């Protein structure tokens, strides 16, 4: 069967299956189990309305539970077993990992990514948002800077491979060096600094995201406060740093955390650019070196990522609960 | 007081210039890729894409068989024009060019300046002029090997779609393209439906544990999907779906749901309460309210998430690597590029650029046509 046909059938089955489930389950509830007729019509309606939310929620809860909750537990348990999956070795995988230089390197690099990428993307996003705020062609500028959001990490890596290429006739960085008479360098092989060259790719992708949200936040600042500050003689920099920034601090933090989460999940860039060589390994790509070979180690690495995300998760939930009240 | 709001500040110029520079910086890499994808591999490795609109100096080889030789006295003479060689015809469409240097050996293709006579191995001489006409003399017949001339000439800028043909036809990118679509479309449609119902329940239905569920969804937004890979792949294998399209559809559905529910709920909560309550008073059931009122009203948010999920599944590498078999029959484009082309075609910049451009073309089109919705959805989810 051709993949196109297979795809079409699945769309059909999936979509109509979903609609069918929701429709049929509601009909069954209202007509068969708790019919809104007869002497108990009133109480039946109430009962049906108590059950209905769960009908609506069931597929979502099921999928979330299976694909996100179960794996947290499942991965942790699996990480306590050895390569074969039969021998329980407590935290053996974790202690072994600690002893590995490459693992320590990955953790270190991962922290570099967490520190650099969200900060840089938020800063640049804020800069662009502020600069384009009053510009007549601001919207065009914004869509062009937002564009990399649509590009896959693999595509972006390839694009930047061209920028970084060793050959001065291909890579624009080495072309610039060449015009100053410097010999070409392979930037992804410079120890330590190559990490930052890889991070720049993610910054390039994420700046647009930060910009869109921060520029909406900037628009949301009441005009009066800004005008009052200007009448009091504040210069544009004072207006920006003392009036605008404090008012959008909440949004800045949201953007920052969102990008942090993304950084913790990203694996494609390192995988395509260096394959984790030259000291650029990060945890998600390090995990892939064990994937399909040693499930115990792979899940242990995944769980370490989970532990690093945990503070962000708790902060997120706390924020959400604050907003609900 | 020239910086009162509404008046142009003195910084206006600086702002304009900075934004222009930033935009150029952001565009430059992608433009480079686009230009490179239309150049052939010789041009790419001999001149930067930023010089693509200009003429480029390249090395060529022209061969002339001994058919054209003429015996004059006791020397064999061959005359002709290097630009006539059919192998180079594509480069010099009108059969003429300007030669900047020539040579008789492949290792030194630019040994002699035009108009300077070169001594040939085994006696004889060769003279090539700037306009490409040459005269070769030899005491013996040129024999079977004929005369080979290496030369360097400016070639006019040239663009070709040959890379696209190569990538689509011989590199199996067409198959990968279809596979990507097969993964993407169901993986976009199914989670939206499921999430929309769940979001409605979380936004407008009263039931115990609702707050807890919302908190759980927010928490699950953060769970790294790396955790899911090993246990779920094992589960899929036990269920018999193993590494397959069905498996990856389910996986993308599961991974996309938290963001979908979160975005859609935030949007639905903002819908006017009056409409929903008056519908209830009129006797509409929740199912009717949802399908007849909420869904149409939520179109912007649905579109926004659809774009997100589409971009995410189209661009995904990790989930495809783990949940799809590694053979060519089910490779998606990202895997194809990362695992196949980068390995085997690592130095072929033209092919790489083209493959990358094919893989980002669809998302870019979707992005630029639907950008308004994407931004609106982002704002519904992130800014209060």
């Amino acid at each position: 069967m051709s993949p196109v046909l297979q795809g079409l059938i699945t769309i059909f089955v999936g979509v109509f299956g979903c609609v069918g489930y929701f429709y049929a389950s509601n009909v069954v509830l209202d007509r068969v189990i708790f019919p809104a007729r007869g002497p108990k019509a009133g109480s039946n309606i109430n009962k049906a309305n108590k059950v209905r939310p769960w009908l609506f929620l069931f597929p979502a809860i099921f999928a979330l539970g299976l694909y996100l909750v179960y794996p947290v537990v499942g991965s942790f348990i699996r990480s306590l077993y050895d390569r074969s999956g039969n021998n329980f070795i407590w935290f053996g995988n974790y202690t072994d990992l600690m002893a590995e230089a490459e693992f320590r390197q990955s953790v270190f690099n991962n922290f570099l990514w967490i520190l650099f990428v969200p900060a840089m993307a938020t800063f640049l996003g804020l800069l662009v948002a502020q600069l384009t705020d009053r510009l007549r062609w601001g919207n065009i500028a914004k869509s062009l800077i937002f564009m990399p959001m649509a590009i896959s990490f693999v595509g972006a890596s390839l694009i930047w491979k061209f920028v970084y290429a060793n050959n001065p006739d291909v890579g624009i960085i080495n072309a610039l060096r060449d015009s100053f008479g410097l010999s070409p360098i392979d930037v992804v092989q410079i120890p330590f600094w190559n990490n930052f060259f890889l991070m720049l790719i993610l910054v390039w992708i994420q700046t647009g995201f930060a910009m869109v949200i921060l520029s909406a936040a900037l628009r949301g600042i009441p005009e009066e406060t800004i005008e009052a500050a200007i009448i009091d003689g504040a210069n544009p920099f004072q207006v920006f740093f003392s009036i605008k920034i404090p008012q959008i601090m909440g949004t800045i933090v949201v953007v920052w955390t969102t990008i942090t989460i993304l950084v913790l999940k990203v694996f494609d860039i390192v995988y395509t650019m260096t394959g984790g060589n030259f000291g650029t390994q990060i945890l998600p790509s390090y995990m892939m070196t064990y994937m399909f070979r040693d499930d115990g180690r792979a899940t242990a690495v995944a769980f370490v990522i989970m532990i690093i995300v945990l503070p962000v998760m708790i902060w997120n939930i706390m924020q959400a609960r604050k907003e609900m009240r | 007081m020239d910086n009162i709001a509404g008046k142009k500040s003195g910084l206006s110029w600086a702002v304009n210039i900075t934004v222009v520079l930033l935009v150029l910086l952001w565009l430059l890499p992608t433009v480079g890729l686009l230009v490179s994808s239309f150049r052939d591999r010789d041009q790419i490795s001999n001149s930067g894409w930023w010089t693509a609109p200009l003429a480029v100096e390249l090395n060529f080889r022209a061969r002339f068989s001994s058919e054209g030789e003429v015996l004059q006295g006791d020397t064999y003479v061959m005359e002709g024009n290097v630009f006539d060689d059919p192998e180079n015809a594509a480069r010099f469409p009108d059969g003429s060019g300007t030669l900047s240097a020539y040579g008789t050996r492949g290792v030194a293709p630019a040994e002699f300046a035009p108009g300077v006579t070169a001594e040939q191995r085994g006696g004889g001489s060769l003279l090539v002029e700037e306009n490409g006409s040459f005269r070769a003399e030899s005491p013996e017949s040129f024999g079977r090997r004929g005369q080979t001339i290496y030369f360097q000439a400016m070639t006019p800028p040239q663009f070709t779609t040959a890379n696209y043909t190569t990538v689509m036809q011989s590199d199996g990118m067409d198959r990968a393209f279809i596979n990507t679509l097969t993964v993407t479309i169901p993986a976009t449609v199914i989670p939206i439906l499921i999430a929309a119902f769940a979001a409605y329940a979380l936004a407008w239905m009263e039931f115990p544990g609702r707050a807890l569920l919302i908190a759980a969804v927010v928490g699950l937004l953060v769970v790294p999907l790396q955790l899911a890979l090993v246990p779920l792949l094992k589960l899929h294998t036990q269920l018999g779906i193993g590494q397959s399209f069905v498996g990856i559809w389910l996986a993308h559905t599961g991974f996309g749901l938290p963001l979908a529910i979160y975005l859609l709920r935030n949007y639905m909560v903002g819908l006017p309460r009056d409409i929903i309550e008056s519908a209830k008073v009129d006797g509409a059931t929740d199912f009717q309210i949802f399908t007849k009122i909420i869904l149409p009203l939520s179109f912007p948010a649905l579109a926004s998430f659809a774009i997100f999920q589409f971009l995410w599944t189209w661009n995904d590498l990790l989930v495809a690597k783990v949940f799809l078999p590694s053979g060519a029959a089910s490779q998606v484009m990202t895997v194809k590029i990362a695992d196949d082309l980068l390995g085997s075609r690592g130095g072929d910049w033209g092919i790489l650029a083209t493959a990358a451009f094919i893989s980002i073309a669809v998302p870019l089109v979707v992005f630029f046509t639907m950008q308004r919705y994407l931004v609106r959805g982002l704002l519904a989810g992130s800014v209060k």
Side-chain angles (χ1 to χ4, degrees):
Chain A
M1 190 159 44
S2 85
V4 183
L5 190 67
Q6 212 177 354
L8 284 175
I9 291 174
T10 313
I11 299 173
F12 194 80
V13 172
V15 172
F16 284 89
C18 276
V19 174
Y21 159 78
F22 287 115
Y23 184 75
S25 64
N26 273 284
V27 169
V28 169
L29 185 70
D30 288 331
R31 302 265 165 80
V32 183
I33 305 176
F34 298 117
R37 279 176 270 109
K40 289 195 289 178
S43 79
N44 268 357
I45 289 177
N46 284 340
K47 277 183 196 157
N49 285 343
K50 283 219 172 83
V51 179
R52 200 183 324 276
W54 303 104
L55 287 184
F56 276 32
L57 282 166
F58 170 74
I61 292 178
F62 179 76
L64 286 177
L66 187 63
Y67 280 86
L68 291 166
V69 179
Y70 156 70
V72 176
V73 185
S75 271
F76 178 67
I77 293 171
R78 186 61 188 82
S79 74
L80 302 178
Y81 285 84
D82 72 346
R83 177 189 293 244
S84 69
N86 298 325
N87 305 317
F88 187 75
I89 53 168
W90 288 101
F91 293 96
N93 284 317
Y94 294 88
T95 47
D96 285 355
L97 282 175
M98 294 298 176
E100 257 185 65
E102 207 183 354
F103 175 78
R104 293 197 302 264
Q105 168 109 60
S106 314
V107 175
F108 175 74
N109 287 346
N110 234 137
F111 276 108
L112 282 185
W113 279 72
I114 297 175
L115 291 178
F116 182 77
V117 176
M120 199 65 193
T122 312
F123 168 76
L124 284 175
L126 189 57
L127 185 75
V128 180
Q130 167 65 19
L131 290 182
T132 53
D133 201 27
R134 291 280 159 86
L135 226 51
R136 197 172 305 149
W137 57 291
N139 279 337
I140 303 171
K142 276 192 220 161
S143 7
L144 291 176
I145 290 182
F146 193 37
M147 178 201 68
M149 273 289 280
I151 297 176
S152 64
F153 292 143
V154 174
S157 305
L158 258 182
I159 289 175
W160 283 81
K161 254 185 195 281
F162 273 78
V163 178
Y164 293 157
N166 214 353
N167 180 347
D169 283 325
V170 177
I172 204 158
I173 286 190
N174 278 317
L176 284 177
R177 282 178 64 90
D178 198 51
S179 67
F180 289 114
L182 298 165
S183 59
I185 45 166
D186 197 343
V187 288
V188 297
Q189 293 194 22
I190 311 169
F192 183 68
W193 298 107
N194 52 5
N195 283 304
F196 291 91
F197 284 104
L198 300 192
M199 292 177 212
L200 275 185
I201 303 174
L202 195 55
V203 172
W204 180 72
I205 297 174
Q206 286 301 313
T207 296
F209 163 77
M211 173 201 71
V212 164
I213 291 175
L214 292 172
S215 112
L218 283 177
R219 288 271 162 85
I221 298 176
E223 283 284 322
E224 297 84 30
T225 52
I226 296 165
E227 270 169 27
I230 292 174
I231 287 168
D232 285 348
N235 66 38
F237 291 99
Q238 284 172 326
V239 170
F240 182 66
F241 287 108
S242 312
I243 310 291
K244 290 186 174 175
I245 296 271
Q247 295 200 53
I248 59 167
M249 208 53 204
T251 316
I252 292 180
V253 175
V254 169
V255 170
W256 194 297
T257 30
T258 312
I259 301 178
T260 307
I261 294 166
L262 185 96
V263 169
L264 282 164
K265 293 176 178 176
V266 83
F267 123 101
D268 322 39
I269 293 177
V270 169
Y271 182 81
T272 2
M273 288 298 279
T274 62
N277 296 313
F278 320 118
T280 57
Q281 195 72 284
I282 56 174
L283 288 173
S285 65
Y286 181 64
M287 180 195 168
M288 282 311 275
T289 63
Y290 283 117
M291 192 76 206
F292 303 122
R293 286 201 298 130
D294 186 341
D295 285 352
R297 287 283 175 85
T299 45
V301 178
F303 208 76
V304 172
I305 302 174
M306 180 72 212
I307 293 169
I308 299 179
V309 197
L310 214 55
V312 185
M313 188 193 243
I314 293 168
W315 186 87
N316 256 8
I317 295 176
M318 276 165 40
Q319 283 301 311
R321 296 196 70 92
K322 216 188 285 171
E323 275 162 22
M324 297 259 296
R325 251 170 249 139
Chain B
M1 290 286 278
D2 62 339
N3 59 352
I4 271 184
K7 272 200 177 177
K8 265 200 173 171
S9 102
L11 286 168
S12 170
W13 268 108
V15 167
N16 266 299
I17 294 172
T18 320
V19 176
V20 168
L21 284 178
L22 278 169
V23 169
L24 281 182
L25 201 65
W26 246 255
L27 273 185
L28 204 68
T30 321
V31 172
L33 184 85
L34 179 62
V35 174
S36 300
S37 73
F38 284 108
R39 307 176 78 210
D40 70 29
R41 64 186 291 178
D42 290 341
Q43 281 200 322
I44 289 174
S45 49
N46 279 304
S47 70
W49 58 264
W50 49 93
T51 63
L54 312 171
V56 185
E57 195 161 64
L58 286 182
N59 292 326
F60 294 98
R61 183 176 67 181
R63 285 199 230 217
F64 296 93
S65 69
S66 49
E67 275 169 30
E69 67 183 5
V70 183
L71 187 62
Q72 288 181 0
D74 53 357
T75 47
Y76 289 86
V77 175
M78 193 163 20
E79 283 183 328
N81 191 305
V82 292
F83 294 117
D84 288 343
D85 183 88
E87 271 184 47
N88 304 325
R91 285 289 187 193
F92 306 101
D94 47 357
S96 67
T98 307
L99 185 135
S100 55
Y102 76 99
T104 54
R105 297 174 297 157
V107 286
E111 210 175 355
F112 306 101
V116 175
T117 309
E119 295 301 317
Q120 298 221 61
R121 269 179 301 175
S125 63
L126 175 69
L127 174 65
V128 186
E129 299 292 346
E130 212 176 40
N131 65 6
S133 67
F134 72 91
R135 179 185 169 89
E137 294 178 8
S138 168
E140 296 155 28
S141 165
F142 288 94
R144 265 195 302 137
R145 283 175 40 225
Q147 175 70 45
T148 304
I149 302 170
Y150 296 90
F151 66 97
Q152 206 173 52
M154 296 301 276
T155 55
Q158 217 171 21
F159 294 100
T160 161
T161 52
N163 288 329
Y164 285 86
T165 329
T166 317
V167 169
M168 288 310 268
Q169 285 173 359
S170 58
D171 276 334
M173 203 64 178
D174 49 350
R175 185 64 198 262
F177 190 91
I178 292 174
N179 285 340
T180 310
L181 271 180
T182 316
V183 169
T184 308
I185 295 174
T188 306
V189 178
I190 299 171
I192 291 181
L193 260 176
I194 297 181
F197 276 95
Y200 173 73
L202 290 176
W204 289 109
M205 294 165 114
E206 294 288 340
F207 59 90
R210 188 171 76 153
L212 209 65
L213 267 177
I214 296 172
V217 168
V218 173
L220 290 176
L221 275 173
V222 181
V223 171
L225 58 86
Q226 269 84 6
L227 276 174
L229 305 180
V230 172
L232 280 171
L233 190 59
K234 192 159 282 173
L235 190 73
H236 279 185
T237 318
Q238 281 165 0
L239 291 176
I241 44 180
Q243 289 181 312
S244 69
F245 282 111
V246 178
I248 196 171
W249 290 323
L250 293 176
H252 275 310
T253 302
F255 300 145
L257 270 182
L259 184 67
I261 299 177
Y262 180 69
L263 283 181
L264 294 178
R265 192 202 86 93
N266 276 355
Y267 188 89
M268 287 178 186
V269 149
L271 294 174
R273 180 175 282 275
D274 309 354
I275 304 179
I276 293 150
E277 278 176 356
S278 51
K280 273 196 180 150
V281 171
D282 289 346
T285 64
D286 275 309
F287 191 76
Q288 285 168 329
I289 294 175
F290 175 74
T291 48
K292 302 229 168 93
I293 299 175
I294 301 286
L295 268 193
L297 282 179
S298 310
F299 178 73
L302 292 172
S304 157
F305 175 74
I307 302 165
F308 256 120
Q309 179 76 0
F310 177 83
L311 292 178
W312 156 247
T313 44
W314 186 282
N315 289 338
D316 157 77
L317 170 70
L318 180 62
V319 180
K321 259 185 86 66
V322 174
F323 285 97
L324 278 183
S326 54
S330 43
Q331 259 174 351
V332 295
M333 281 193 288
T334 47
V335 176
K336 173 102 198 151
I337 293 173
D339 284 359
D340 240 31
L341 294 183
L342 273 179
S344 63
R345 300 282 207 145
D348 201 337
W349 294 103
I351 297 294
L352 285 181
T354 313
F357 206 79
I358 291 174
S359 83
I360 66 177
V362 173
L364 281 184
V365 170
V366 169
F367 175 81
F368 277 116
T369 49
M370 313 275 275
Q371 198 187 17
R372 238 163 6 112
Y373 292 117
L374 186 70
V375 170
R376 212 184 291 176
L378 263 181
L379 298 181
S382 318
V383 183
K384 287 288 137 58

